[in-house]
Amino acid sequence: MTSDDLPIGRRVASWRVRRSMTQQQLADRLRRSKSWVDKVERGVRALDRYSVIQDLAEVLRIDPEVLLGQQSQKTPVGALDGMDDIRAALARYDTPEVTQQTAEEVRRQVGYAWLTYQHAHYAQLVRVLPSLLDVVQGVRALELRVQTYRLASALLVKLGEADLGWLSADRAMAVAGDDPPLAATAAISVGQALRASGRDCLALAATLAAANRILPADRRGPIPGR
């Protein structure tokens, strides 16, 4: 029996094991009970709502179609070959000069890169991302730089490089600086990368701290560990 022929519950169990999660850890991330996860994996409880399948796929860091057996989840050809180039780009801190005209071109490139990610053309994005990370360092628009680092983080988490994804998200936080809305969006990437690394408490603390910066004082929540 191929993976596409497996019942959806078996696919959930298989991907949970591949992500090194226990049933309890998966349940906690879904905010459900361990019994619910166990019944899903054994086929006792049906997964008949797409929104629930989406939640499961997000926690397992795969596309919903993989759980539905509509496609196989494989690392894109050539994707891992480009990891060293992305790692090198994230390690550079020089800021080349970029003219306003070039900055507008970079804005178009960033928009195109996000579309490439949304269409799951990961191998193509791996190829163009290193040069985009280099160029964007010279752009004055902080929002563009934050978007690019967030994109890199999302791609790296998707490809199973959560620690490198956290580094890119951290760069987004550093660029956002004292801009609360930008810092809040960057914190989303930090939280996603930390969750993908199994650091749920740190992920919650990071996102709550950023949310508190943009919320009125009377609506701010406590940060875990403080």
Side-chain angles (χ1 to χ4, degrees), residues 23-85:
Q23 286 187 337
Q24 186 63 61
Q25 288 172 326
L26 179 58
D28 290 344
R29 295 181 188 186
L30 292 168
R31 296 183 179 179
R32 293 181 178 270
S33 67
K34 179 183 176 182
S35 173
W36 183 88
V37 172
D38 180 66
K39 288 178 181 177
V40 164
E41 292 186 350
R42 290 189 293 113
V44 175
R45 178 182 287 273
L47 286 176
D48 51 8
R49 292 175 56 191
Y50 189 69
S51 60
V52 176
I53 294 173
Q54 284 181 307
D55 290 342
L56 273 163
E58 181 180 355
V59 172
L60 294 171
R61 307 196 308 278
I62 56 177
D63 293 324
E65 288 77 12
V66 176
L67 288 181
L68 292 170
Q70 295 174 0
Q71 66 179 43
S72 60
Q73 176 75 0
K74 297 180 180 178
T75 301
V77 176
L80 294 181
D81 293 341
M83 286 301 141
D84 286 343
D85 292 334

Side-chain angles (χ1 to χ4, degrees), residues 103-187:
E104 290 305 315
E105 177 61 26
V106 172
R107 185 179 298 277
R108 287 192 291 272
Q109 291 177 20
V110 172
Y112 177 76
W114 271 108
L115 284 175
T116 302
Y117 174 78
Q118 290 164 1
H119 286 86
H121 298 156
Y122 303 136
Q124 178 182 348
L125 187 54
V126 166
R127 289 194 296 270
V128 303
L129 195 54
S131 60
L132 185 57
L133 286 167
D134 281 343
V135 171
V136 82
Q137 290 191 56
V139 179
R140 293 184 178 181
L142 297 183
E143 178 260 343
L144 267 184
R145 295 166 67 186
V146 169
Q147 275 195 40
T148 304
Y149 286 125
R150 288 194 62 211
L151 171 62
S153 179
L155 175 66
L156 291 164
V157 168
K158 177 69 72 173
L159 295 180
E161 296 283 344
D163 287 340
L164 194 56
W166 177 85
L167 172 61
S168 187
D170 186 62
R171 291 290 296 271
M173 286 290 292
V175 169
D178 295 327
D179 187 310
L182 281 182
T185 59

